[in-house]
Amino acid sequence: MGDPAANLALSERRAAVVAETLAALGFARDRLAAIGVGAAEPLPRRDAEGELSYQKRLGRASVLLRVP
């Protein structure tokens, strides 16, 4: 919902906060990448899922860990 450019910027800021929080917890900052995707990769809807339920699931963060 809302302006796609504003949503992308918000997504990028949220991703950056997650990365900074992980760095503050001791994860190596050079191994973290913060990528906000906005509405470019929407979650799939579940069968018979109402609009409100779907909207509540939209806020998410995916964390990928690389092993050296």
Short mmCIF file of all heavy atoms in Angstrom, two decimals:
data_model
loop_
_atom_site.label_atom_id
_atom_site.label_comp_id
_atom_site.label_asym_id
_atom_site.label_seq_id
_atom_site.Cartn_x
_atom_site.Cartn_y
_atom_site.Cartn_z
N MET A 1 0.84 -1.17 0.00
CA MET A 1 0.00 0.00 0.00
C MET A 1 0.89 1.24 0.00
O MET A 1 2.00 1.22 0.50
CB MET A 1 -0.90 -0.01 1.23
CG MET A 1 -1.87 -1.17 1.26
SD MET A 1 -2.87 -1.23 2.75
CE MET A 1 -3.85 0.23 2.58
N GLY A 2 0.42 2.30 -0.56
CA GLY A 2 1.16 3.54 -0.55
C GLY A 2 2.08 3.69 -1.75
O GLY A 2 2.05 2.90 -2.69
N ASP A 3 2.91 4.71 -1.67
CA ASP A 3 3.83 5.04 -2.76
C ASP A 3 4.95 4.01 -2.84
O ASP A 3 5.66 3.79 -1.85
CB ASP A 3 4.40 6.43 -2.49
CG ASP A 3 5.42 6.83 -3.53
OD1 ASP A 3 5.10 6.75 -4.72
OD2 ASP A 3 6.54 7.23 -3.14
N PRO A 4 5.17 3.37 -4.00
CA PRO A 4 6.20 2.35 -4.13
C PRO A 4 7.60 2.85 -3.78
O PRO A 4 8.38 2.14 -3.14
CB PRO A 4 6.11 1.92 -5.59
CG PRO A 4 4.71 2.24 -6.00
CD PRO A 4 4.35 3.48 -5.22
N ALA A 5 7.93 4.07 -4.19
CA ALA A 5 9.26 4.61 -3.89
C ALA A 5 9.45 4.82 -2.39
O ALA A 5 10.50 4.51 -1.83
CB ALA A 5 9.48 5.92 -4.64
N ALA A 6 8.41 5.30 -1.72
CA ALA A 6 8.49 5.50 -0.27
C ALA A 6 8.57 4.16 0.45
O ALA A 6 9.32 4.02 1.43
CB ALA A 6 7.28 6.29 0.22
N ASN A 7 7.83 3.17 -0.04
CA ASN A 7 7.88 1.85 0.57
C ASN A 7 9.25 1.20 0.39
O ASN A 7 9.76 0.54 1.30
CB ASN A 7 6.79 0.95 -0.01
CG ASN A 7 5.42 1.32 0.49
OD1 ASN A 7 5.27 1.96 1.53
ND2 ASN A 7 4.40 0.95 -0.26
N LEU A 8 9.86 1.39 -0.76
CA LEU A 8 11.20 0.86 -0.99
C LEU A 8 12.21 1.52 -0.05
O LEU A 8 13.05 0.85 0.55
CB LEU A 8 11.62 1.05 -2.45
CG LEU A 8 13.03 0.57 -2.80
CD1 LEU A 8 13.20 -0.92 -2.47
CD2 LEU A 8 13.33 0.83 -4.26
N ALA A 9 12.12 2.83 0.08
CA ALA A 9 13.03 3.55 0.98
C ALA A 9 12.84 3.07 2.42
O ALA A 9 13.83 2.86 3.15
CB ALA A 9 12.79 5.06 0.89
N LEU A 10 11.61 2.86 2.85
CA LEU A 10 11.33 2.36 4.19
C LEU A 10 11.92 0.96 4.36
O LEU A 10 12.54 0.65 5.37
CB LEU A 10 9.82 2.35 4.45
CG LEU A 10 9.37 1.75 5.78
CD1 LEU A 10 9.96 2.53 6.95
CD2 LEU A 10 7.85 1.73 5.84
N SER A 11 11.73 0.12 3.36
CA SER A 11 12.26 -1.24 3.40
C SER A 11 13.79 -1.22 3.53
O SER A 11 14.37 -1.99 4.30
CB SER A 11 11.84 -1.99 2.14
OG SER A 11 12.34 -3.30 2.12
N GLU A 12 14.43 -0.34 2.79
CA GLU A 12 15.90 -0.23 2.85
C GLU A 12 16.36 0.25 4.22
O GLU A 12 17.35 -0.25 4.76
CB GLU A 12 16.40 0.69 1.75
CG GLU A 12 16.24 0.07 0.36
CD GLU A 12 16.48 1.05 -0.77
OE1 GLU A 12 16.46 2.28 -0.54
OE2 GLU A 12 16.69 0.58 -1.90
N ARG A 13 15.64 1.21 4.80
CA ARG A 13 16.00 1.69 6.15
C ARG A 13 15.82 0.58 7.18
O ARG A 13 16.66 0.41 8.07
CB ARG A 13 15.16 2.91 6.53
CG ARG A 13 15.55 4.18 5.78
CD ARG A 13 14.93 5.43 6.38
NE ARG A 13 13.49 5.38 6.55
CZ ARG A 13 12.59 5.74 5.64
NH1 ARG A 13 12.99 6.20 4.45
NH2 ARG A 13 11.30 5.67 5.89
N ARG A 14 14.76 -0.17 7.07
CA ARG A 14 14.54 -1.28 8.00
C ARG A 14 15.63 -2.33 7.88
O ARG A 14 16.12 -2.86 8.87
CB ARG A 14 13.16 -1.90 7.76
CG ARG A 14 12.03 -1.04 8.24
CD ARG A 14 10.69 -1.67 7.91
NE ARG A 14 9.60 -0.92 8.53
CZ ARG A 14 8.34 -1.10 8.25
NH1 ARG A 14 7.97 -2.00 7.35
NH2 ARG A 14 7.41 -0.39 8.86
N ALA A 15 16.00 -2.66 6.66
CA ALA A 15 17.07 -3.64 6.44
C ALA A 15 18.38 -3.15 7.05
O ALA A 15 19.13 -3.93 7.66
CB ALA A 15 17.23 -3.93 4.95
N ALA A 16 18.66 -1.87 6.90
CA ALA A 16 19.89 -1.31 7.46
C ALA A 16 19.88 -1.39 8.99
O ALA A 16 20.91 -1.70 9.60
CB ALA A 16 20.06 0.14 7.01
N VAL A 17 18.74 -1.16 9.61
CA VAL A 17 18.63 -1.24 11.07
C VAL A 17 18.88 -2.68 11.53
O VAL A 17 19.57 -2.92 12.52
CB VAL A 17 17.27 -0.72 11.56
CG1 VAL A 17 17.02 -1.08 13.01
CG2 VAL A 17 17.18 0.78 11.36
N VAL A 18 18.34 -3.66 10.81
CA VAL A 18 18.57 -5.06 11.16
C VAL A 18 20.06 -5.38 11.07
O VAL A 18 20.63 -5.99 11.98
CB VAL A 18 17.74 -6.01 10.26
CG1 VAL A 18 18.16 -7.46 10.47
CG2 VAL A 18 16.26 -5.84 10.53
N ALA A 19 20.72 -4.95 10.00
CA ALA A 19 22.14 -5.20 9.84
C ALA A 19 22.95 -4.53 10.95
O ALA A 19 23.88 -5.13 11.50
CB ALA A 19 22.62 -4.73 8.47
N GLU A 20 22.63 -3.30 11.28
CA GLU A 20 23.35 -2.59 12.34
C GLU A 20 23.14 -3.25 13.69
O GLU A 20 24.05 -3.32 14.51
CB GLU A 20 22.95 -1.12 12.38
CG GLU A 20 23.42 -0.32 11.18
CD GLU A 20 24.92 -0.42 10.94
OE1 GLU A 20 25.70 -0.40 11.92
OE2 GLU A 20 25.32 -0.52 9.76
N THR A 21 21.93 -3.75 13.93
CA THR A 21 21.65 -4.44 15.19
C THR A 21 22.46 -5.73 15.29
O THR A 21 23.04 -6.03 16.33
CB THR A 21 20.14 -4.74 15.32
OG1 THR A 21 19.42 -3.50 15.27
CG2 THR A 21 19.82 -5.47 16.61
N LEU A 22 22.52 -6.48 14.19
CA LEU A 22 23.33 -7.69 14.19
C LEU A 22 24.81 -7.36 14.40
O LEU A 22 25.51 -8.08 15.13
CB LEU A 22 23.13 -8.46 12.88
CG LEU A 22 21.76 -9.11 12.72
CD1 LEU A 22 21.61 -9.68 11.31
CD2 LEU A 22 21.54 -10.20 13.75
N ALA A 23 25.29 -6.29 13.79
CA ALA A 23 26.68 -5.87 13.98
C ALA A 23 26.93 -5.50 15.44
O ALA A 23 27.96 -5.85 16.02
CB ALA A 23 27.02 -4.70 13.06
N ALA A 24 25.98 -4.81 16.06
CA ALA A 24 26.11 -4.44 17.47
C ALA A 24 26.12 -5.66 18.38
O ALA A 24 26.70 -5.62 19.47
CB ALA A 24 24.98 -3.49 17.87
N LEU A 25 25.52 -6.75 17.93
CA LEU A 25 25.50 -7.99 18.70
C LEU A 25 26.76 -8.83 18.48
O LEU A 25 26.90 -9.90 19.05
CB LEU A 25 24.26 -8.82 18.35
CG LEU A 25 22.93 -8.22 18.81
CD1 LEU A 25 21.77 -9.02 18.23
CD2 LEU A 25 22.87 -8.21 20.33
N GLY A 26 27.66 -8.35 17.60
CA GLY A 26 28.93 -9.04 17.41
C GLY A 26 29.14 -9.70 16.07
O GLY A 26 30.20 -10.27 15.83
N PHE A 27 28.16 -9.63 15.18
CA PHE A 27 28.37 -10.18 13.84
C PHE A 27 29.30 -9.26 13.07
O PHE A 27 29.22 -8.04 13.19
CB PHE A 27 27.04 -10.32 13.09
CG PHE A 27 26.16 -11.42 13.63
CD1 PHE A 27 25.32 -11.17 14.72
CD2 PHE A 27 26.18 -12.68 13.08
CE1 PHE A 27 24.51 -12.17 15.23
CE2 PHE A 27 25.37 -13.68 13.57
CZ PHE A 27 24.54 -13.43 14.66
N ALA A 28 30.18 -9.83 12.26
CA ALA A 28 31.12 -9.04 11.48
C ALA A 28 30.36 -8.20 10.45
O ALA A 28 29.64 -8.73 9.60
CB ALA A 28 32.11 -9.95 10.77
N ARG A 29 30.52 -6.89 10.53
CA ARG A 29 29.78 -5.97 9.65
C ARG A 29 30.10 -6.21 8.18
O ARG A 29 29.23 -6.07 7.33
CB ARG A 29 30.10 -4.52 10.05
CG ARG A 29 29.30 -3.49 9.27
CD ARG A 29 27.81 -3.66 9.57
NE ARG A 29 27.00 -2.72 8.84
CZ ARG A 29 26.27 -3.05 7.77
NH1 ARG A 29 26.29 -4.27 7.29
NH2 ARG A 29 25.51 -2.16 7.19
N ASP A 30 31.33 -6.61 7.88
CA ASP A 30 31.70 -6.83 6.48
C ASP A 30 31.05 -8.09 5.90
O ASP A 30 31.12 -8.32 4.70
CB ASP A 30 33.22 -6.87 6.32
CG ASP A 30 33.88 -8.00 7.09
OD1 ASP A 30 33.26 -8.53 8.04
OD2 ASP A 30 35.02 -8.35 6.75
N ARG A 31 30.41 -8.88 6.75
CA ARG A 31 29.72 -10.08 6.27
C ARG A 31 28.21 -9.87 6.20
O ARG A 31 27.46 -10.79 5.90
CB ARG A 31 30.02 -11.27 7.18
CG ARG A 31 31.51 -11.64 7.12
CD ARG A 31 31.80 -12.87 7.92
NE ARG A 31 31.10 -14.00 7.35
CZ ARG A 31 30.85 -15.12 8.03
NH1 ARG A 31 31.20 -15.23 9.27
NH2 ARG A 31 30.20 -16.11 7.45
N LEU A 32 27.77 -8.64 6.48
CA LEU A 32 26.34 -8.34 6.45
C LEU A 32 26.01 -7.47 5.24
O LEU A 32 26.76 -6.56 4.92
CB LEU A 32 25.93 -7.59 7.72
CG LEU A 32 26.13 -8.33 9.04
CD1 LEU A 32 25.88 -7.38 10.21
CD2 LEU A 32 25.22 -9.53 9.13
N ALA A 33 24.91 -7.77 4.61
CA ALA A 33 24.42 -6.94 3.51
C ALA A 33 22.96 -6.63 3.79
O ALA A 33 22.18 -7.54 4.07
CB ALA A 33 24.56 -7.66 2.17
N ALA A 34 22.61 -5.38 3.76
CA ALA A 34 21.23 -4.96 4.00
C ALA A 34 20.58 -4.63 2.66
O ALA A 34 21.04 -3.75 1.95
CB ALA A 34 21.20 -3.75 4.92
N ILE A 35 19.53 -5.36 2.33
CA ILE A 35 18.85 -5.17 1.05
C ILE A 35 17.36 -5.02 1.30
O ILE A 35 16.72 -5.95 1.80
CB ILE A 35 19.11 -6.36 0.11
CG1 ILE A 35 20.60 -6.55 -0.10
CG2 ILE A 35 18.38 -6.15 -1.22
CD1 ILE A 35 20.95 -7.85 -0.78
N GLY A 36 16.82 -3.88 0.99
CA GLY A 36 15.38 -3.65 1.09
C GLY A 36 14.77 -3.88 -0.28
O GLY A 36 15.30 -3.42 -1.28
N VAL A 37 13.66 -4.59 -0.33
CA VAL A 37 13.04 -4.89 -1.63
C VAL A 37 11.69 -4.23 -1.83
O VAL A 37 11.12 -4.30 -2.92
CB VAL A 37 12.92 -6.42 -1.86
CG1 VAL A 37 14.29 -7.06 -1.92
CG2 VAL A 37 12.06 -7.06 -0.81
N GLY A 38 11.15 -3.59 -0.81
CA GLY A 38 9.85 -2.94 -0.96
C GLY A 38 8.80 -3.93 -1.44
O GLY A 38 8.69 -5.04 -0.92
N ALA A 39 8.06 -3.57 -2.45
CA ALA A 39 7.00 -4.44 -2.98
C ALA A 39 7.48 -5.31 -4.13
O ALA A 39 6.69 -6.00 -4.76
CB ALA A 39 5.82 -3.59 -3.44
N ALA A 40 8.79 -5.31 -4.39
CA ALA A 40 9.32 -6.09 -5.51
C ALA A 40 9.17 -7.59 -5.31
O ALA A 40 9.11 -8.35 -6.27
CB ALA A 40 10.78 -5.73 -5.75
N GLU A 41 9.15 -8.04 -4.05
CA GLU A 41 9.04 -9.46 -3.76
C GLU A 41 7.93 -9.68 -2.72
O GLU A 41 8.20 -9.98 -1.57
CB GLU A 41 10.36 -10.01 -3.23
CG GLU A 41 11.48 -9.93 -4.24
CD GLU A 41 12.81 -10.42 -3.68
OE1 GLU A 41 12.81 -11.19 -2.70
OE2 GLU A 41 13.83 -10.04 -4.22
N PRO A 42 6.68 -9.52 -3.10
CA PRO A 42 5.59 -9.65 -2.14
C PRO A 42 5.43 -11.09 -1.66
O PRO A 42 5.78 -12.05 -2.36
CB PRO A 42 4.35 -9.21 -2.92
CG PRO A 42 4.70 -9.46 -4.34
CD PRO A 42 6.20 -9.24 -4.46
N LEU A 43 4.91 -11.23 -0.45
CA LEU A 43 4.61 -12.56 0.08
C LEU A 43 3.43 -13.15 -0.67
O LEU A 43 2.50 -12.42 -1.04
CB LEU A 43 4.23 -12.46 1.56
CG LEU A 43 5.32 -12.11 2.54
CD1 LEU A 43 4.73 -11.94 3.93
CD2 LEU A 43 6.38 -13.17 2.57
N PRO A 44 3.44 -14.46 -0.88
CA PRO A 44 2.26 -15.07 -1.49
C PRO A 44 1.11 -15.09 -0.50
O PRO A 44 1.32 -15.20 0.71
CB PRO A 44 2.73 -16.48 -1.84
CG PRO A 44 3.87 -16.74 -0.92
CD PRO A 44 4.51 -15.41 -0.64
N ARG A 45 -0.09 -14.98 -1.01
CA ARG A 45 -1.27 -15.05 -0.14
C ARG A 45 -1.59 -16.49 0.18
O ARG A 45 -1.44 -17.37 -0.66
CB ARG A 45 -2.48 -14.44 -0.84
CG ARG A 45 -2.48 -12.95 -0.74
CD ARG A 45 -3.84 -12.43 -1.15
NE ARG A 45 -3.81 -10.99 -1.09
CZ ARG A 45 -4.50 -10.29 -0.23
NH1 ARG A 45 -5.31 -10.87 0.60
NH2 ARG A 45 -4.41 -8.99 -0.21
N ARG A 46 -2.03 -16.71 1.40
CA ARG A 46 -2.48 -18.04 1.82
C ARG A 46 -3.93 -18.23 1.38
O ARG A 46 -4.67 -17.27 1.20
CB ARG A 46 -2.37 -18.17 3.33
CG ARG A 46 -0.95 -18.09 3.82
CD ARG A 46 -0.89 -18.15 5.32
NE ARG A 46 0.50 -18.09 5.77
CZ ARG A 46 0.87 -17.70 6.98
NH1 ARG A 46 -0.03 -17.32 7.86
NH2 ARG A 46 2.13 -17.69 7.31
N ASP A 47 -4.33 -19.49 1.23
CA ASP A 47 -5.72 -19.79 0.86
C ASP A 47 -6.67 -19.19 1.88
O ASP A 47 -6.46 -19.32 3.08
CB ASP A 47 -5.94 -21.30 0.79
CG ASP A 47 -5.22 -21.94 -0.39
OD1 ASP A 47 -4.88 -21.21 -1.34
OD2 ASP A 47 -4.98 -23.15 -0.35
N ALA A 48 -7.68 -18.52 1.42
CA ALA A 48 -8.74 -17.93 2.24
C ALA A 48 -8.22 -16.92 3.26
O ALA A 48 -8.84 -16.70 4.29
CB ALA A 48 -9.54 -19.02 2.94
N GLU A 49 -7.08 -16.31 2.99
CA GLU A 49 -6.51 -15.31 3.90
C GLU A 49 -7.16 -13.95 3.65
O GLU A 49 -7.23 -13.49 2.51
CB GLU A 49 -5.01 -15.20 3.70
CG GLU A 49 -4.34 -14.22 4.63
CD GLU A 49 -2.83 -14.24 4.50
OE1 GLU A 49 -2.33 -14.43 3.37
OE2 GLU A 49 -2.17 -14.08 5.52
N GLY A 50 -7.65 -13.33 4.69
CA GLY A 50 -8.25 -12.02 4.57
C GLY A 50 -7.21 -10.93 4.38
O GLY A 50 -6.01 -11.13 4.63
N GLU A 51 -7.65 -9.78 3.92
CA GLU A 51 -6.75 -8.66 3.63
C GLU A 51 -5.98 -8.21 4.88
O GLU A 51 -4.77 -7.99 4.83
CB GLU A 51 -7.54 -7.48 3.06
CG GLU A 51 -6.70 -6.28 2.71
CD GLU A 51 -5.73 -6.53 1.55
OE1 GLU A 51 -5.98 -7.42 0.73
OE2 GLU A 51 -4.72 -5.81 1.49
N LEU A 52 -6.65 -8.09 6.01
CA LEU A 52 -5.99 -7.64 7.23
C LEU A 52 -4.92 -8.63 7.68
O LEU A 52 -3.81 -8.23 8.05
CB LEU A 52 -7.02 -7.42 8.34
CG LEU A 52 -6.47 -6.86 9.65
CD1 LEU A 52 -5.78 -5.52 9.43
CD2 LEU A 52 -7.59 -6.69 10.67
N SER A 53 -5.22 -9.90 7.63
CA SER A 53 -4.23 -10.92 8.00
C SER A 53 -3.01 -10.86 7.09
O SER A 53 -1.87 -10.97 7.54
CB SER A 53 -4.86 -12.32 7.93
OG SER A 53 -5.89 -12.45 8.86
N TYR A 54 -3.26 -10.69 5.80
CA TYR A 54 -2.16 -10.60 4.84
C TYR A 54 -1.29 -9.37 5.12
O TYR A 54 -0.07 -9.47 5.15
CB TYR A 54 -2.73 -10.54 3.42
CG TYR A 54 -1.67 -10.38 2.36
CD1 TYR A 54 -0.79 -11.41 2.08
CD2 TYR A 54 -1.56 -9.20 1.62
CE1 TYR A 54 0.18 -11.28 1.10
CE2 TYR A 54 -0.59 -9.07 0.64
CZ TYR A 54 0.28 -10.11 0.39
OH TYR A 54 1.24 -9.97 -0.58
N GLN A 55 -1.92 -8.24 5.37
CA GLN A 55 -1.17 -7.01 5.64
C GLN A 55 -0.31 -7.14 6.89
O GLN A 55 0.79 -6.62 6.94
CB GLN A 55 -2.13 -5.82 5.79
CG GLN A 55 -2.81 -5.40 4.51
CD GLN A 55 -1.83 -4.89 3.47
OE1 GLN A 55 -0.84 -4.28 3.79
NE2 GLN A 55 -2.13 -5.17 2.21
N LYS A 56 -0.81 -7.84 7.90
CA LYS A 56 -0.03 -8.02 9.13
C LYS A 56 1.18 -8.90 8.92
O LYS A 56 2.16 -8.80 9.66
CB LYS A 56 -0.92 -8.58 10.24
CG LYS A 56 -1.89 -7.56 10.78
CD LYS A 56 -2.67 -8.10 11.94
CE LYS A 56 -3.58 -7.03 12.50
NZ LYS A 56 -4.25 -7.45 13.71
N ARG A 57 1.15 -9.78 7.93
CA ARG A 57 2.29 -10.66 7.65
C ARG A 57 3.34 -9.99 6.78
O ARG A 57 4.44 -10.51 6.63
CB ARG A 57 1.83 -11.93 6.92
CG ARG A 57 1.21 -12.95 7.79
CD ARG A 57 1.10 -14.31 7.12
NE ARG A 57 0.59 -14.31 5.75
CZ ARG A 57 1.31 -14.69 4.68
NH1 ARG A 57 2.54 -15.10 4.81
NH2 ARG A 57 0.76 -14.67 3.47
N LEU A 58 3.03 -8.86 6.19
CA LEU A 58 3.96 -8.27 5.23
C LEU A 58 5.28 -7.81 5.84
O LEU A 58 6.30 -7.86 5.18
CB LEU A 58 3.29 -7.11 4.48
CG LEU A 58 2.22 -7.53 3.49
CD1 LEU A 58 1.62 -6.30 2.83
CD2 LEU A 58 2.78 -8.46 2.45
N GLY A 59 5.27 -7.34 7.07
CA GLY A 59 6.51 -6.92 7.68
C GLY A 59 7.38 -8.12 8.00
O GLY A 59 7.00 -8.98 8.77
N ARG A 60 8.54 -8.22 7.36
CA ARG A 60 9.40 -9.38 7.59
C ARG A 60 10.84 -9.02 7.30
O ARG A 60 11.13 -8.05 6.61
CB ARG A 60 8.98 -10.55 6.71
CG ARG A 60 9.38 -10.37 5.25
CD ARG A 60 8.98 -11.59 4.43
NE ARG A 60 9.63 -11.64 3.15
CZ ARG A 60 9.17 -11.07 2.04
NH1 ARG A 60 8.06 -10.37 2.09
NH2 ARG A 60 9.81 -11.18 0.90
N ALA A 61 11.72 -9.80 7.83
CA ALA A 61 13.14 -9.66 7.53
C ALA A 61 13.67 -11.06 7.26
O ALA A 61 13.44 -11.98 8.04
CB ALA A 61 13.89 -9.03 8.69
N SER A 62 14.35 -11.23 6.16
CA SER A 62 15.00 -12.50 5.86
C SER A 62 16.48 -12.33 6.15
O SER A 62 17.11 -11.37 5.69
CB SER A 62 14.81 -12.87 4.38
OG SER A 62 13.45 -13.05 4.10
N VAL A 63 17.02 -13.23 6.93
CA VAL A 63 18.43 -13.17 7.28
C VAL A 63 19.10 -14.41 6.68
O VAL A 63 18.73 -15.54 6.99
CB VAL A 63 18.63 -13.14 8.81
CG1 VAL A 63 20.09 -13.14 9.16
CG2 VAL A 63 17.91 -11.95 9.41
N LEU A 64 20.06 -14.17 5.81
CA LEU A 64 20.81 -15.25 5.18
C LEU A 64 22.21 -15.27 5.79
O LEU A 64 22.88 -14.25 5.85
CB LEU A 64 20.91 -15.03 3.67
CG LEU A 64 19.57 -14.83 2.94
CD1 LEU A 64 19.81 -14.50 1.48
CD2 LEU A 64 18.72 -16.07 3.07
N LEU A 65 22.62 -16.43 6.23
CA LEU A 65 23.94 -16.56 6.83
C LEU A 65 24.85 -17.31 5.87
O LEU A 65 24.51 -18.36 5.36
CB LEU A 65 23.84 -17.31 8.16
CG LEU A 65 22.93 -16.69 9.21
CD1 LEU A 65 22.85 -17.58 10.43
CD2 LEU A 65 23.43 -15.31 9.59
N ARG A 66 26.02 -16.75 5.65
CA ARG A 66 27.03 -17.40 4.81
C ARG A 66 28.06 -18.03 5.73
O ARG A 66 28.51 -17.43 6.69
CB ARG A 66 27.74 -16.42 3.90
CG ARG A 66 26.88 -15.85 2.82
CD ARG A 66 27.68 -14.92 1.96
NE ARG A 66 28.20 -13.85 2.83
CZ ARG A 66 29.04 -12.91 2.45
NH1 ARG A 66 29.48 -12.90 1.23
NH2 ARG A 66 29.45 -11.98 3.28
N VAL A 67 28.48 -19.23 5.40
CA VAL A 67 29.52 -19.90 6.15
C VAL A 67 30.81 -19.80 5.31
O VAL A 67 30.79 -20.16 4.14
CB VAL A 67 29.16 -21.38 6.41
CG1 VAL A 67 30.28 -22.08 7.14
CG2 VAL A 67 27.86 -21.46 7.18
N PRO A 68 31.88 -19.30 5.93
CA PRO A 68 33.12 -19.15 5.14
C PRO A 68 33.68 -20.47 4.67
O PRO A 68 33.45 -21.49 5.17
CB PRO A 68 34.08 -18.46 6.12
CG PRO A 68 33.49 -18.57 7.47
CD PRO A 68 32.04 -18.91 7.30
#
